[in-house]
Amino acid sequence: MKQLSILALGAVAVLTACNSRPANQFDLKGTIDGADGQTIYLVYARNDSVKTDSTVIADGTFAFTGIAEVPVSATFYMGDVMNWESKTRAGIYLEPSEMTVTGLTAEDFSGAKISGSRTQDEMYEYEALIRPIQEEIKSVRQAMQGADQLARPALEAKSDSLGNIYDTMTIEFIKSHPASYYSAVLLNMTAGHMSYPDLKAAFDGLTPEVQASAEEVAQELEVLESIQPGKPAPDLIGNNPDGKEIRLSDLKGKVVLIDFWATWCGPCRAALPHVRELYNKYHDRGFEVFCVADNDSSPDKWKEVIVEEGIEDYHNILRGLKMNTTPDGQFAGYDKSGDQSDKYAVHYLPTKYLIAADGTVIGKMDTNEELDARFAEIFR
């Protein structure tokens, strides 16, 4: 009996070894109605590049297998990946596990239900937590659209207050889930609304494994540390509308307002008249404006609006963000090697930084009042 037991255990071990999955392998299986013969794609990050897999749907099913050492954000879709309004696309957090997707149709992925991914479950948990405050914010912003001038200030104040609550709830979720890879995602999403000390404290609270996966947050902290008040301002380099290379460092000796903006950004253009007032008032005393436009995909529009807004006398360059595509025209991520906005951790537009005449950072200017106060100190 003893010998038979050993042999039996050995056979089980061999079978288990033959059927075992690599520790870093993911298996994603899904069902979908009415899409047989169509191609479904899966795009995700892999080894510092973007990987795109595809398979043909048969008998209402599809399957993908790949490698994911840690949870990664991915998108599965049909049709044009660049159609951001497409209903046949959905996000997923891939993990080295067996995952399933249900609730898909050939016309709509909005009912996607994903199981088998712990990170996806944590995302669902966060979304359930935050949904009530999101609905409040949505309601207030809808009310703002039809509000008159008397009612609008109170609504704006309420929107700002709800936004602060939203951010606080997000940070509390991160603190209570230090081992969650989704906490790293949330921290990256919230980074633009956090001060350097608060962001560093939140990052330091994550487990080492999650910190290791939060490369973007670590890079953000490095950038933010480099643009703290008193630090040398990172140089900005690009071609002006005439094709001539210009640099922020060429303006050393002048007080410079860096304005990260875009022609399609309403608040950016609404802020231009106030900057013009400051320029007209202080230019002769050594003030310049250096504009970085997020218009790499529409340079002609950029040049047109520069003339339209009367800012030709500013120093204007494009952001430098390029889009990569595969040979068959599929989106394959961004080339950020020349991205000037990354040097100042820009997350929203407009974003403004004031630079002293000695080339050091004075600080980020979030309001006109703060900007006016700084100018009153500098040019008194």
Side-chain angles (χ1 to χ4, degrees), residues 138-152 155:
K138 181 180 178 180
S139 176
V140 171
R141 289 180 177 174
Q142 287 176 338
M144 288 171 61
Q145 293 178 3
D148 57 31
Q149 293 300 315
L150 291 176
R152 191 173 182 84
L155 289 170

Side-chain angles (χ1 to χ4, degrees), residues 12-62:
V12 171
V14 169
L15 288 172
T16 301
C18 291
N19 294 327
S20 65
R21 300 167 59 257
N24 59 358
Q25 177 177 306
F26 71 79
D27 293 292
L28 174 64
K29 297 180 180 180
T31 57
I32 181 169
D33 294 334
D36 281 5
Q38 297 188 46
T39 300
I40 188 167
Y41 298 88
L42 177 70
V43 58
Y44 59 99
R46 171 71 178 149
N47 293 334
D48 297 324
S49 64
V50 175
K51 183 174 178 59
T52 301
D53 286 342
S54 64
T55 189
V56 176
I57 299 165
D59 298 325
T61 65
F62 62 88

Side-chain angles (χ1 to χ4, degrees), residues 232-233 235 247-256 286 288 290 315 355-360:
D235 206 4
R247 296 170 176 260
L248 174 65
S249 57
D250 293 338
L251 301 176
K252 192 170 183 178
K254 307 282 189 179
V255 174
V256 183
E288 299 286 349
F290 196 102
H315 305 270
I355 309 302
D358 65 359
T360 60

Side-chain angles (χ1 to χ4, degrees), residues 111-250:
K113 299 296 182 184
I114 299 162
S115 61
S117 167
R118 175 183 170 186
T119 305
Q120 191 80 23
D121 291 341
E122 289 163 342
M123 186 195 79
Y124 290 150
E125 178 188 350
Y126 170 76
E127 289 180 342
L129 172 72
I130 215 75
R131 191 172 294 116
I133 195 73
Q134 285 180 320
E135 291 299 322
E136 284 191 69
I137 292 172
K138 181 180 178 180
S139 176
V140 171
R141 289 180 177 174
Q142 287 176 338
M144 288 171 61
Q145 293 178 3
D148 57 31
Q149 293 300 315
L150 291 176
R152 191 173 182 84
L155 289 170
E156 288 178 344
K158 186 173 182 180
S159 178
D160 290 343
S161 176
L162 289 171
N164 291 333
I165 294 172
Y166 180 99
D167 289 343
T168 299
M169 291 175 69
T170 300
I171 296 303
E172 290 303 315
F173 181 92
I174 293 169
K175 289 180 179 178
S176 63
H177 295 72
S180 169
Y181 286 90
Y182 192 62
S183 288
V185 174
L186 289 175
L187 193 55
N188 186 52
M189 291 168 54
T190 314
H193 302 281
M194 299 178 68
S195 67
Y196 171 67
D198 289 344
L199 181 61
K200 188 174 187 309
F203 179 80
D204 289 345
L206 300 175
T207 63
E209 294 79 12
V210 175
Q211 284 186 358
S213 75
E215 293 182 5
E216 291 185 8
V217 178
Q219 292 169 3
E220 173 94 354
L221 285 167
E222 185 177 344
V223 172
L224 288 174
E225 200 282 330
S226 73
I227 55 175
Q228 292 303 295
K231 296 280 188 176
D235 206 4
L236 296 171
I237 307 167
N239 293 333
N240 68 12
D242 294 328
K244 178 185 175 182
E245 183 180 277
I246 60 174
R247 296 170 176 260
L248 174 65
S249 57
D250 293 338

